[in-house]
Amino acid sequence: MSNVAIVKKYKNHTDINLAKEPEVFYLIDNPFDRIVGVLGGTSQVGQVVNSDIDLISITRKGLPKSVVYSLCEVLDISMERLSDLMHISHRTLQRKADDDLLTVSSTEQLFEIAEVVSKGIEVFDTLDNFRNWLHSTPYIFNGQKPLDFLDTRFGIQYVKNIIGRIAHGIPS
């Protein structure tokens, strides 16, 4: 089945899950649909996201814990590693039911990480290329992996800035 045929089987792009159908994800232009796709699609996030206001609304309510599984798969990391990035004990995260809602700060961080992934895929052309870069140790990160910087807002912004530099051909 061609990518166009796969896209047409969806009523809209918000149903697409990056972890399950990466080839379709590359065809999505809407940045909100891409962020939701990184987190497992609207079925995981719980609603369609069409604007920053929708992101704020969901953040205030909280994302369900089930999006953590999707993000772990996309980033190719364990739930324990993601819980470290979120500054939540792994055991606390494990105890939550899949439909339990995360805190505002955890939800905000997951949205920010999803935005980094979306932009990274756009710049590196494929999820695999982006993952390879995310798990590498570029010189500009002083011997650390870009993944290691996704635990704070400032680190996330730094990674976004570096991805932006790479997108514009600036050596990074």
Side-chain angles (χ1 to χ4, degrees):
M1 186 180 314
S2 75
N3 289 344
V4 173
I6 293 171
V7 169
K8 285 183 178 180
K9 85 177 186 175
Y10 294 99
K11 290 180 181 156
N12 56 48
H13 296 302
T14 61
D15 298 332
I16 295 172
N17 177 330
L18 169 62
K20 293 185 175 141
E21 296 182 296
E23 68 280 357
V24 179
F25 183 81
Y26 306 127
L27 303 174
I28 301 171
D29 292 329
N30 183 312
F32 298 110
D33 291 346
R34 291 175 65 90
I35 290 169
V36 169
V38 170
L39 296 173
T42 53
S43 61
Q44 293 294 321
V45 171
Q47 78 176 61
V48 174
V49 177
N50 292 314
S51 67
D52 288 327
I53 299 295
D54 291 339
L55 286 177
I56 293 165
S57 174
I58 295 170
T59 301
R60 288 177 176 156
K61 183 178 76 174
L63 284 168
K65 175 205 166 189
S66 59
V67 302
V68 169
Y69 300 118
S70 296
L71 195 54
C72 286
E73 190 173 347
V74 166
L75 294 174
D76 194 26
I77 61 173
S78 67
M79 189 175 2
E80 187 171 6
R81 179 68 179 113
L82 186 57
S83 65
D84 287 343
L85 293 175
M86 296 169 60
H87 301 286
I88 298 175
S89 98
H90 181 237
R91 185 70 189 118
T92 298
L93 197 54
Q94 281 182 318
R95 276 194 293 264
K96 289 184 176 292
D98 287 350
D99 59 350
D100 283 352
L101 300 178
L102 300 170
T103 65
V104 170
S105 61
S106 293
T107 297
E108 187 174 53
Q109 186 169 16
L110 292 177
F111 273 132
E112 295 242 1
I113 291 171
E115 186 178 14
V116 168
V117 172
S118 175
K119 190 65 174 167
I121 292 169
E122 187 179 317
V123 170
F124 288 92
D125 293 326
T126 69
L127 175 59
D128 285 337
N129 289 346
F130 175 66
R131 275 186 193 145
N132 289 338
W133 178 80
L134 198 62
H135 291 276
S136 70
T137 53
Y139 178 78
I140 199 156
F141 288 94
N142 292 331
Q144 297 178 66
K145 300 174 183 175
L147 178 69
D148 298 334
F149 286 76
L150 300 181
D151 67 331
T152 68
R153 181 181 307 162
F154 298 112
I156 289 169
Q157 189 58 52
Y158 184 68
V159 172
K160 284 182 189 176
N161 289 343
I162 299 303
I163 290 171
R165 290 174 56 144
I166 292 169
H168 288 93
I170 300 169
S172 297

